[in-house]
Amino acid sequence: MTVDPFVLVLFGARGDLARRMLFPSIYRLAAAGHLPEDYAIIGSGRSAPDSIDAFHDSVRTGLSESVDDLDDEIVDTLLQHLSFQTASADDGADLASAVDAARSDVGDGAQTVIYLSVPPTAMESMIAMLGREGLADDGARMIIEKPFGTDLDSSRALDATVSSVTDEDRVYRIDHFLGKEAVQNILALRFANAILESAWNSDHVESVQIDVPEDLGLEGRGSFYESTGCFRDMVTTHLCQVLGFVAMERPETVDADALREAKAAVFQAMRPLDPDRVVFGQFDGYRDDDDVADDSQVETFVALEAFVDNDRWRGVPFYLRTGKALADNRRTVTVTFRTPPSPFPGDAPKPDQLALELSQTPLATLVLNVKRPGPEITVEPLGTDLEMARTDHEDDALDAYERLLLDVMRGDQTLFARGDEVDRLWQVCQPVLDHPPSVQPYRKGSWGPESALTLPGPRGWRLPDA
């Protein structure tokens, strides 16, 4: 499916996100035939590259690092559509002129899309500039990168600025986790399979774990982590959004209004987090980074317990864990089911579990109790892997940023966070920001501080794999 002609303004075009994710995603959309013949991309930032050729060379190098079997002809065509214009929160006049010229070149009815990949501290002033220069007018769509503020007050200030320059139906708060095929597959598994949906409640579910460990360290993001930390970067956004998909009631449809309304209802029912049930950690060696303070108390690890106080989930703990420099790189949702009374001799059976791997190749592992071979009728747990994507459909899948960029161009807000969702999540998370737990050290390559390992109680975490 192609989209209408557009002008994409990409703030932060020389940054890490653009290099690793955005330009490769745009390239893949072009390679798959999803882009129109007429479009323009205007990179922007506070400082200009040495020349447009230098900018193009940088983009080409980034593509070669991220894309296998790069097609030079597609790259050349893409770069022909790519320019650069400096802009800042104080001065966006030249950028506004460049956008007007690009819209004229692309043709009548060209859709303006503005992607704001800028630090949280700069977001509000940049959006105000867009309003002053008229860049948010004429139906322009605005993509805002997370985190959406740094606490409840700053989030509300940001939302007020956004509301002063554009309408909610033109705002796309992007969280790339929601663009993942495997995350969207949670909805299909739940609502298209009666065997799961009928048991997806507190009568049958003992606990839910959302576990997103990363084995990488800072990878040059020391200054970002010092200003943001793991809790703001991962928990208030990615992990809570996945929780919303896991816990929502069945929407009437899967369009933007119904799906986001169902997700917002989950967040409204979430109990504000208890700082006593939150663990912060910092990996050994974090402070050795040149961009990190010698006495930094910024967390690189978070584990916590959350609750959704509604009829479906009341009393069921949701355990969330994420962090840097851990023992594995995974994205796993584990649903542990209650164990029924057992007539079998020996120890009580292990609980059934459904583990969903939210990886590029989605996979589910179902752990059930079966009879152990032998003369006695005793049981033991056995896991079986379930493929969640047919091999003949592998080429149909889009990477997260590809899918989300395409959705913006099509005007589809289904997989983007709504303003009231963001506000409620900050309300839920604010007690931890007001009373943060002390930061505990942990060894690189471990699973975090000891107090986090025992947070879920005797059953512990599913990861590492049983």
Side-chain angles (χ1 to χ4, degrees):
M1 175 186 292
T2 58
V3 297
D4 293 333
F6 65 86
V7 175
L8 171 62
V9 181
L10 179 54
F11 287 96
R14 299 172 67 200
D16 181 65
L17 179 67
R19 183 184 182 89
R20 291 186 303 106
M21 297 293 182
L22 300 183
F23 282 122
S25 295
I26 294 169
Y27 167 88
R28 293 188 184 101
L29 289 175
H34 291 306
L35 298 188
E37 185 175 335
D38 297 317
Y39 68 93
I41 303 172
I42 304 174
S44 190
R46 292 176 60 88
S47 60
D50 292 338
S51 65
I52 190 61
D53 288 340
F55 180 48
H56 284 178
D57 288 345
S58 175
V59 171
R60 187 186 294 273
T61 299
L63 290 174
S64 67
E65 295 169 351
S66 301
V67 179
D68 295 330
D69 300 322
L70 197 67
D71 187 317
D72 288 334
E73 185 176 346
I74 295 174
V75 176
D76 290 342
T77 301
L78 178 63
L79 295 180
Q80 290 172 11
H81 292 270
L82 176 63
S83 60
F84 193 95
Q85 177 59 59
T86 55
S88 68
D90 299 322
D91 185 6
D94 289 342
L95 177 61
S97 297
V99 171
D100 286 342
R103 283 171 58 88
S104 297
D105 290 342
V106 170
D108 293 339
Q111 175 66 55
T112 301
V113 177
I114 301 171
Y115 198 123
L116 287 156
S117 176
V118 299
T121 53
M123 188 70 73
E124 190 175 344
S125 58
M126 291 299 291
I127 292 172
M129 179 275 287
L130 297 177
R132 289 195 310 271
E133 299 295 345
L135 285 165
D137 297 344
D138 300 324
R141 295 169 186 160
M142 188 181 301
I143 307 173
I144 301 177
E145 268 286 347
K146 61 88 180 170
F148 312 114
T150 55
D151 56 17
L152 181 58
D153 288 343
S154 64
S155 174
R156 287 179 170 174
L158 174 60
D159 189 62
T161 301
V162 171
S163 299
S164 71
V165 303
T166 192
D167 297 325
E168 178 66 25
D169 62 4
R170 289 189 269 148
V171 179
Y172 296 76
R173 297 173 187 84
I174 193 167
D175 188 319
H176 77 271
F177 265 48
L178 297 188
K180 293 178 178 292
E181 287 278 345
V183 174
Q184 297 161 43
N185 219 335
I186 293 172
L187 303 181
L189 279 175
R190 280 195 56 190
F191 301 126
N193 296 284
I195 193 172
L196 291 180
E197 179 58 11
S198 61
W200 210 263
N201 55 60
S202 60
D203 290 339
H204 302 284
V205 174
E206 178 181 286
S207 68
V208 178
Q209 296 180 8
I210 301 173
D211 209 353
V212 186
E214 298 182 37
D215 55 7
L216 296 177
L218 294 179
E219 302 297 306
R221 301 179 77 211
S223 59
F224 171 79
Y225 247 68
E226 279 292 275
S227 64
T228 305
C230 182
F231 185 73
R232 291 180 175 91
D233 181 39
M234 295 292 292
V235 174
T236 66
T237 54
H238 300 325
L239 273 67
C240 281
Q241 287 291 332
V242 173
L243 186 155
F245 268 38
V246 171
M248 71 166 63
E249 296 297 317
R250 181 180 64 85
E252 290 299 318
T253 64
V254 288
D255 62 17
D257 290 339
L259 194 67
R260 298 200 296 176
E261 193 65 36
K263 188 149 51 78
V266 173
F267 301 149
Q268 194 60 42
M270 283 184 71
R271 188 186 307 174
L273 297 177
D274 179 358
D276 290 338
R277 300 295 290 166
V278 179
V279 177
F280 277 4
Q282 184 185 96
F283 68 79
D284 295 335
Y286 170 77
R287 298 176 186 174
D288 296 337
D289 189 279
D290 291 341
D291 295 322
V292 172
D294 293 339
D295 59 352
S296 174
Q297 292 298 307
V298 170
E299 77 286 355
T300 63
F301 172 96
V302 179
L304 62 85
E305 180 183 65
F307 290 92
V308 178
D309 288 334
N310 61 16
D311 290 343
R312 180 182 291 269
W313 294 110
R314 190 167 286 107
V316 176
F318 287 74
Y319 295 107
L320 279 57
R321 179 172 67 171
T322 187
K324 295 287 189 183
L326 295 174
D328 204 349
N329 190 58
R330 301 283 288 278
R331 292 165 176 80
T332 306
V333 173
T334 303
V335 180
T336 300
F337 294 92
R338 299 190 186 279
T339 304
S342 171
F344 302 107
D347 296 336
K350 300 289 186 182
D352 298 341
Q353 288 188 329
L354 177 66
L356 307 176
E357 294 294 338
L358 310 182
S359 58
Q360 189 66 28
T361 303
L363 183 72
T365 299
L366 182 62
V367 180
L368 299 174
N369 288 290
V370 300
K371 181 186 177 297
R372 178 182 300 190
E376 303 294 332
I377 302 180
T378 58
V379 298
E380 62 182 352
L382 181 67
T384 184
D385 291 339
L386 308 173
E387 292 184 1
M388 293 170 60
R390 287 174 42 164
T391 55
D392 56 341
H393 289 169
E394 286 181 348
D395 293 340
D396 297 337
L398 299 178
D399 287 344
Y401 275 103
E402 291 175 53
R403 168 66 190 269
L404 295 174
L405 284 170
L406 188 60
D407 282 354
V408 175
M409 295 171 187
R410 292 162 52 190
D412 184 351
Q413 293 181 302
T414 302
L415 299 177
F416 295 84
R418 209 168 60 186
D420 60 328
E421 294 178 41
V422 172
D423 188 83
R424 177 56 187 167
L425 285 176
W426 279 117
Q427 293 178 48
V428 169
C429 294
Q430 191 62 43
V432 178
L433 299 177
D434 291 339
H435 304 285
S438 59
V439 175
Q440 304 174 38
Y442 64 93
R443 180 177 50 83
K444 283 184 176 181
S446 71
W447 286 96
E450 183 65 30
S451 58
L453 301 181
T454 59
L455 184 68
R459 297 205 194 282
W461 298 90
R462 174 175 173 78
L463 298 182
D465 295 297

